Amino acid sequence: MNITARYFIVPLLLLAGLAVAAPDAGNLEALRGKLPLDRDPAPARIADPLKDQGIQDRDYIHQPPLIPHQVRDYEVDLKVNQCLSCHGWKNAASRNAPRVSPTHYENRDGLTLSDISPRRYFCLQCHVPQTGAEPLVDSTFMPVESLR
């Protein structure tokens, strides 16, 4: 068989094999189930947060604190950050809430800004509500000695 024929016949045979196997592909099910691609699945519901449990211990240095209250329906977008209505430096004392760390007011060059740094504005990138959910996988992780 010459080289030109090999470049055309081999791919055609492969495509023919895929066409024969294609009917089996109907038996596969995606993670989204039988839901059509133009519809979004309902979001998975995480167990309700543990409410008002106070400040929780951290397992490693620089671990972001957990959020000890519900944040469902909190508005955080480019114009509004509802977290700052309690945790911003202006209102924290009157709301009896922890203040946002001064590090959240620094830009990437270490300069202190008059408002929250854009890279720290979306709180849920790092902070998550605490919950009583069991771990998804077993872990042998141990906190650093100084945090025990």
Side-chain angles (χ1 to χ4, degrees), residues 54-122:
I55 296 173
Q56 300 295 303
D57 292 335
R58 300 186 201 182
D59 291 326
Y60 57 92
I61 296 172
H62 299 301
Q63 175 184 350
L66 297 172
I67 303 170
H69 56 78
Q70 179 64 262
V71 294
R72 189 180 309 276
D73 300 325
Y74 270 39
E75 185 176 6
V76 178
D77 57 31
L78 291 175
K79 296 180 181 175
V80 176
N81 182 330
Q82 193 172 349
C83 302
L84 296 176
S85 64
C86 291
H87 297 283
W89 279 58
K90 180 179 175 183
N91 299 325
S94 65
R95 301 287 186 116
N96 197 26
R99 285 186 176 140
V100 173
S101 167
T103 60
H104 288 48
Y105 288 84
E106 295 174 2
N107 67 11
R108 67 179 58 193
D109 298 323
L111 300 174
T112 302
L113 306 172
S114 61
D115 207 352
I116 290 282
S117 170
R119 27 181 228 144
R120 303 289 187 114
Y121 183 80
F122 294 99

Side-chain angles (χ1 to χ4, degrees), residues 7-61:
Y7 284 117
F8 289 109
I9 294 175
V10 171
L12 285 175
L13 291 174
L14 287 173
L15 287 174
L18 290 175
V20 170
D24 253 0
N27 296 331
L28 298 176
E29 188 170 321
L31 292 175
R32 61 188 294 118
K34 302 284 184 189
L35 194 64
L37 292 175
D38 62 346
R39 296 191 47 222
D40 287 329
R45 181 163 169 83
I46 298 174
D48 286 331
L50 299 174
K51 295 180 177 137
D52 302 322
Q53 298 291 312
I55 296 173
Q56 300 295 303
D57 292 335
R58 300 186 201 182
D59 291 326
Y60 57 92
I61 296 172

